[in-house]
Amino acid sequence: MKDGAYDRASVDRLDQLRPHFARAGMVSARLGLEQARATVSALETIGLPAAVMAASGRVLTANSLLEEMTEMFLPTAYGGMAIANASANALFQRAILENRNDFAIRSIPVAANESRPALVIHLLPLRRAAHDIFSGADILVAATAVSASSVVPSPTLLAGLFDLTPSEARLAAALSQGRPLKDAASDLKITVKTGRTYLERIFAKTGTSQQSQLVALLKSTEPLNRR
């Protein structure tokens, strides 16, 4: 072959490889989907209804906790998903569209009704290593109940829900105990300036703008219980 001209024998040899490439791609996709299912199932063990979605809004897989919430999460055409509450669904669908460009975390409140407590539905963009863990999925959707609580969430849970770094999650957990930023920074052995930098990042990732709002959000975040 020369300058883009391919002889018949070379084309025939490449054609013989085509079925092998097709099988390899199919096996790889199936293995990746199983990995995504296993990861979403792991969230079920801590009581979090969850699903992973493609950038288009198509649901790739969901755990049984989310699938059981048929009064909240509704199937739509082409494998998509909607929220039964109209105002929350408008925010949900807009967040899916905006995720393609800004990769921002969204937390969408849903009012309580007679059969369930108020919820916060989190859309977390999957980037870098998380994109690989979830087999190329683009969005993780998780639901948490909202109720008045004195329970302080763990840094690990906060990191998972809001895509916080370990340092940001530790600061957020400390602040959720009602500690001033200066005291929380001292306990974590960081400067107040660094603490303020972390806090600004936490505000951006949780959709809050004041420490009181952040504390209220964090202390209302808890897993849903099976009924």
Side-chain angles (χ1 to χ4, degrees):
M1 66 186 73
K2 183 178 180 182
D3 297 330
Y6 297 88
D7 59 76
R8 185 70 254 173
S10 297
V11 172
D12 289 342
R13 284 196 294 272
L14 290 173
D15 281 342
Q16 292 174 4
L17 296 175
R18 186 184 304 170
H20 302 293
F21 287 135
R23 283 191 292 271
M26 181 180 65
V27 171
S28 176
R30 286 181 176 175
L31 288 174
L33 182 57
E34 287 303 318
Q35 184 180 31
R37 285 174 177 163
T39 308
V40 171
S41 294
L43 295 176
E44 182 175 337
T45 64
I46 61 172
L48 288 178
V52 289
M53 307 175 72
S56 63
R58 182 170 62 90
V59 177
L60 301 179
T61 187
N63 64 25
S64 63
L65 285 179
L66 188 137
E67 289 175 341
E68 290 170 2
M69 298 175 68
T70 54
E71 82 290 349
M72 172 56 58
F73 295 101
L74 308 176
T76 63
Y78 307 107
M81 182 167 66
I83 299 173
N85 180 287
S87 58
N89 186 56
L91 295 173
F92 183 72
Q93 301 302 331
R94 188 173 71 189
I96 292 173
L97 291 174
E98 292 176 349
N99 179 73
R100 301 175 190 175
N101 299 317
D102 60 14
F103 302 104
I105 292 171
R106 297 287 188 272
S107 295
I108 300 171
V110 183
N113 62 24
E114 296 178 356
S115 61
R116 55 154 181 79
L119 304 175
V120 176
I121 298 174
H122 308 273
L123 286 86
L124 310 176
L126 299 172
R127 294 169 287 183
R128 299 185 291 274
H131 198 265
D132 297 330
I133 293 172
F134 286 93
S135 185
D138 299 289
I139 306 169
L140 171 65
V141 178
T144 58
V146 175
S147 61
S149 172
S150 61
V151 177
V152 176
S154 72
T156 301
L157 179 59
L158 294 179
L161 288 177
F162 299 105
D163 196 30
L164 303 181
T165 66
S167 297
E168 292 166 356
R170 287 192 292 270
L171 178 62
L175 294 175
S176 67
Q177 299 177 43
R179 299 179 63 77
L181 177 60
K182 181 179 179 180
D183 293 348
S186 176
D187 290 346
L188 297 174
K189 295 180 172 54
I190 59 175
T191 65
V192 174
K193 181 179 180 180
T194 298
R196 289 198 184 100
T197 299
Y198 289 165
L199 184 57
E200 289 300 319
R201 294 175 185 169
I202 294 167
F203 283 158
K205 292 179 179 181
T206 58
T208 56
S209 58
Q210 297 177 3
Q211 190 169 327
S212 59
Q213 294 174 344
L214 175 67
V215 171
L217 174 64
L218 298 183
K219 295 185 74 171
S220 69
T221 300
E222 58 186 39
L224 288 165
N225 295 319
R226 285 184 184 271
R227 294 187 178 276

